[in-house]
Amino acid sequence: MINYLKNRFQLSDSGASEIIRAIVSGALLAASNMIPMIIIMLFTQGLLEGGLPSLQTFIILICGGALVMFVLYYVNYNDTYTVVYSEAKTLRINLAEKLKELPLSFFSKHDMSDLAQAIMKDITDIEHALSHAIPKFYSNLIAFVLISVLLLVWNVPLGLSIIIPTILSFAFLYLSKSIQIRETNKYFVKLRENAEKFQQAIELQQEIKSYRLEEATRKDVAASIEDSEKIHIRAEFSQAVPVTLSGFIARSMLGVTIFVGSILYANDGVTLLYLLGYILASSRISEAILDIQMNFAEMLYIDSRIKNIRSINETAIQSGESAEIRDTAIEFKDVTFAYDDNHVINGVSFTAPAGKVTALVGPSGCGKTTALRLASRLYDYDQGEIRIDGRDMKNIATEDLFKKISIVFQDVTLFNTTVLENIRIGRPDASDEEVKKAARLANCDEFVGNLPDGYDTIIGENGGKLSGGERQRLSIARAILKNSPIILLDEISAALDIENEKKIQDSLNSLIKGRTVIIISHRMKSIENADTIVVMKDGLVEGLGKHAHLMKNSPTYRDMIEKSQLTDAFTY
Ligand code: ADP
């Protein structure tokens, strides 16, 4: 049962066992709701048959019953609400921990708003279902079985007049399950699409405004919302038939009980007191069924959310053993990699020697950035091997690997905090002086001096208050501060103007001296002196060696050099 609940609702071990306690206490509580009725029946029976129990016995029974109910209420409340609150916290933390362990390839396949929604909104929905629907659903079912036994023992025909409609009502409810799951799933997917559209409409304001796309965007978002409304209404209607039938049967149960009971009473098959008891039980149970219907709908409603969380939890994490990396040469051996079905790296082999500069060149889209992502283990390759320090990179703990690698990519990611803290990310224990020294080496000093609070200026979401070149220099300062033996640079000069580029060239040269460097640059001049140049084409290595060798042997390289000379000569 624990494993079923864990898997079905993606709970932790303790969460699943707490929910079982909540179900058991809830079932006992539901059954105990019959206690006052039973006591009064016993008392009335005594009254009618002349064997009236003493007032003292009556008071003891009432107080005992109330005490039992109070204790069950307390235990059940604690088991459901308090425990579920902490389980929701555990679910969120576990999910966040899991996301931390996943390779970057996972994030490229998932929308960010989707993941944020999974951690915040989906878990809130699950939390609500865990505290309300799930324990109540199961405890009502268990209570129903317990009560059914009593009802059958006391009077079989009257018991059946309650049990048969209940089972029929459940059967219709169960029949509606697949329709409800299918329709709520569609609605869920549509809501995700809406969230993505909203996010895109907000993020792409610059393009929307400059290309006058306001009206088209507004119409697109409005159409999407309208669509989701239609899907929602369809979902409600498709569930309506089986759910209404189930409700109708539950509501008619009382009529059936009165009908069967009257015939039995007329034929001395039941006493008036028992008949009244069964009528009361029937009305209680039909109410409970309506309650179960609501809980069942909520359980199905969270189904898609749970599937989403399960798929995150089941994604393989990047594992590996702790290792001290000494030899920093990186060796690609027949490596392949695909983004879903898009085979981008198709058997690449080359070595980036320790302490040397290796340049990756090739036409746009040939897989250079992807190769760099694989070398940094931000993505895991599919086949072949990338070896470092004599081991398969996949067998080294990412923590140990990342310690040795600094990455400066074209797309710089900055946090909405101060300049100082953004650079300190390179080495969290660095002093302010060390951070400022790295900033000076990366030529950040001048522009930081012009910011309102200097190094303490908050730079906005993803450094929105800085220019492309300034953001790039901050990321270089981070790498300088990190001082790692392997440096991966991807088109870092692409966002720099000529003055900036010149400025950081010297600091970059001192940064990469004696280190293992893999660099991608479209400025062919800047990589001509690299120790090794790897020419890539269509996800394969076309040529490998120094500039002079490649000029003779690699048509792609020669072509790129010629084109770059033409580009240099271009005037507007
Ligand atoms: P290059 O750096 O040589 O220009 P990339 O490695 O960036 O090439 O891209 C190679 C191919 O992989 C391109 O066709 C590109 O569309 C695709 N690609 C790159 N990044 C992703 C991604 N995150 N998801 C899916 N496809 C991608």
Side-chain angles (χ1 to χ4, degrees):
M1 183 75 175
I2 288 193
N3 282 340
Y4 168 77
L5 286 175
K6 256 177 72 180
N7 186 41
R8 174 74 178 78
F9 301 110
Q10 291 297 293
L11 302 175
S12 65
D13 280 323
S14 64
S17 43
E18 300 290 0
I19 291 296
I20 289 182
R21 271 183 48 183
I23 290 171
V24 173
S25 58
L28 293 174
L29 183 63
S32 75
N33 281 336
M34 296 285 175
I35 291 178
M37 194 184 83
I38 293 172
I39 293 174
I40 290 174
M41 269 183 68
L42 289 175
F43 188 76
T44 315
Q45 189 176 23
L47 191 70
L48 291 175
E49 290 169 3
L52 186 65
S54 69
L55 188 63
Q56 201 181 6
T57 316
F58 183 66
I59 291 172
I60 289 173
L61 279 176
I62 287 285
C63 291
L67 187 68
V68 168
M69 287 177 76
F70 174 79
V71 170
L72 285 171
Y73 259 118
Y74 177 78
V75 173
N76 185 250
Y77 185 91
N78 189 43
D79 285 348
T80 39
Y81 298 99
T82 320
V83 166
V84 164
Y85 179 74
S86 86
E87 178 62 7
K89 189 175 87 182
T90 313
L91 272 176
R92 280 200 178 96
I93 291 172
N94 287 352
L95 204 58
E97 290 289 333
K98 177 79 193 190
L99 290 175
K100 244 172 58 187
E101 307 273 322
L102 293 175
L104 211 63
S105 51
F106 173 86
F107 299 93
S108 76
K109 289 176 196 152
H110 289 74
D111 191 81
M112 290 304 143
S113 59
D114 201 35
L115 294 175
Q117 188 109 336
I119 293 183
M120 299 314 296
K121 173 85 173 67
D122 290 357
I123 293 185
T124 306
D125 287 346
I126 293 171
E127 182 182 349
H128 189 270
L130 280 177
S131 58
H132 292 75
I134 297 165
K136 275 197 187 139
F137 175 81
Y138 288 109
S139 51
N140 269 329
L141 276 186
I142 296 172
F144 170 70
V145 173
L146 293 177
I147 293 168
S148 297
V149 174
L150 280 183
L151 292 176
L152 279 177
V153 167
W154 280 333
N155 190 309
V156 177
L158 269 175
L160 288 178
S161 73
I162 294 176
I163 293 166
I164 291 173
T166 306
I167 291 174
L168 274 179
S169 176
F170 280 148
F172 275 105
L173 198 58
Y174 192 76
L175 276 183
S176 73
K177 183 179 163 184
S178 60
I179 305 174
Q180 290 198 44
I181 289 183
R182 195 181 60 227
E183 295 304 323
T184 46
N185 212 1
K186 275 190 207 158
Y187 182 54
F188 173 76
V189 170
K190 188 70 200 166
L191 284 183
R192 286 289 203 261
E193 247 178 72
N194 284 356
E196 259 175 68
K197 282 209 163 123
F198 278 131
Q199 188 166 340
Q200 192 168 298
I202 295 166
E203 276 177 6
L204 299 185
Q205 275 301 302
Q206 185 175 323
E207 285 72 17
I208 290 171
K209 284 203 159 67
S210 60
Y211 290 100
R212 316 242 23 145
L213 295 174
E214 290 99 331
E215 192 50 26
T217 311
R218 193 192 62 75
K219 275 190 184 152
D220 185 38
V221 172
S224 193
I225 294 173
E226 215 163 283
D227 244 21
S228 61
E229 245 179 74
K230 281 185 198 149
I231 291 175
H232 198 186
I233 292 170
R234 232 185 358 254
E236 296 283 317
F237 269 107
S238 61
Q239 301 167 19
V241 176
V243 172
T244 312
L245 265 173
S246 166
F248 174 76
I249 294 171
R251 285 192 177 88
S252 54
M253 183 194 296
L254 188 60
V256 176
T257 312
I258 292 173
F259 177 72
V260 174
S262 307
I263 294 175
L264 283 174
Y265 184 66
N267 295 297
D268 288 335
V270 67
T271 60
L272 180 64
L273 189 65
Y274 270 75
L275 176 59
L276 289 176
Y278 273 87
I279 289 172
L280 264 177
S282 173
S283 96
R284 277 275 167 88
I285 288 175
S286 72
E287 268 170 35
I289 293 176
L290 297 177
D291 217 22
I292 285 180
Q293 273 188 1
M294 302 282 288
N295 298 331
F296 193 61
E298 185 171 350
M299 279 166 64
L300 297 182
Y301 177 75
I302 60 160
D303 218 65
S304 327
R305 285 135 180 88
I306 289 171
K307 266 194 202 132
N308 196 26
I309 290 173
R310 185 180 296 132
S311 86
I312 298 176
N313 281 335
E314 285 174 358
T315 309
I317 57 165
Q318 288 188 306
S319 52
E321 285 171 15
S322 175
E324 178 62 38
I325 299 165
R326 289 185 188 87
D327 180 0
T328 56
I330 300 174
E331 187 185 358
F332 276 62
K333 285 177 94 176
D334 216 10
V335 172
T336 67
F337 175 79
Y339 295 104
D340 295 324
D341 291 334
N342 183 10
H343 293 268
V344 175
I345 303 285
N346 302 315
V348 163
S349 300
F350 70 88
T351 300
K356 306 270 183 210
V357 175
T358 303
L360 294 185
V361 299
S364 178
C366 70
K368 303 180 294 290
T369 300
T370 307
L372 219 56
R373 284 175 181 157
L374 298 179
S376 60
R377 231 198 142 190
L378 291 177
Y379 285 51
D380 270 336
Y381 50 90
D382 297 333
Q383 275 164 5
E385 237 181 19
I386 301 182
R387 295 180 75 78
I388 184 164
D389 199 37
R391 285 165 231 237
D392 187 339
M393 189 180 258
K394 275 188 187 170
N395 297 332
I396 302 176
T398 47
E399 221 177 318
D400 293 316
L401 200 63
F402 292 162
K403 255 193 258 167
K404 300 285 176 183
I405 300 177
S406 281
I407 313 166
V408 184
F409 282 148
Q410 191 176 344
D411 299 324
V412 181
T413 310
L414 298 172
F415 292 87
N416 188 9
T417 173
T418 61
V419 173
L420 209 65
E421 293 313 318
N422 260 292
I423 300 175
R424 211 196 304 269
I425 283 163
R427 184 154 55 86
D429 61 353
S431 67
D432 286 2
E433 240 349 279
E434 286 171 315
V435 174
K436 287 179 186 168
K437 189 174 162 206
R440 269 194 301 279
L441 282 170
N443 278 297
C444 297
D445 237 17
E446 193 184 312
F447 81 82
V448 174
N450 291 331
L451 295 174
D453 297 316
Y455 280 98
D456 295 322
T457 309
I458 307 242
I459 57 173
E461 199 176 322
N462 202 11
K465 295 182 188 168
L466 303 177
S467 75
E470 290 164 349
R471 292 150 49 86
Q472 192 64 272
R473 277 184 277 164
L474 278 193
S475 79
I476 293 167
R478 258 186 206 166
I480 291 176
L481 186 67
K482 188 167 176 188
N483 196 22
S484 54
I486 301 171
I487 294 171
L488 307 177
L489 305 167
D490 184 6
E491 292 285 14
I492 60 157
S493 52
L496 300 178
D497 52 46
I498 292 175
E499 198 193 331
N500 270 324
E501 192 175 350
K502 183 77 201 77
K503 273 186 191 164
I504 66 159
Q505 206 62 53
D506 297 340
S507 27
L508 258 189
N509 280 341
S510 67
L511 163 73
I512 66 179
K513 199 178 242 161
R515 295 171 203 258
T516 308
V517 179
I518 306 182
I519 181 166
I520 299 174
S521 173
H522 71 282
R523 298 194 188 196
M524 300 303 283
K525 200 84 199 131
S526 67
I527 51 93
E528 263 181 32
N529 291 330
D531 299 292
T532 313
I533 302 170
V534 181
V535 185
M536 288 182 65
K537 194 180 176 203
D538 300 332
L540 288 165
V541 174
E542 189 203 85
L544 195 115
K546 294 212 180 247
H547 171 74
H549 170 78
L550 292 170
M551 280 305 278
K552 277 196 208 123
N553 300 300
S554 166
T556 303
Y557 187 74
R558 223 173 17 243
D559 187 47
M560 290 185 73
I561 293 282
E562 280 161 16
K563 285 201 178 120
S564 77
Q565 283 160 356
L566 284 178
T567 317
D568 286 345
F570 178 79
T571 53
Y572 286 101

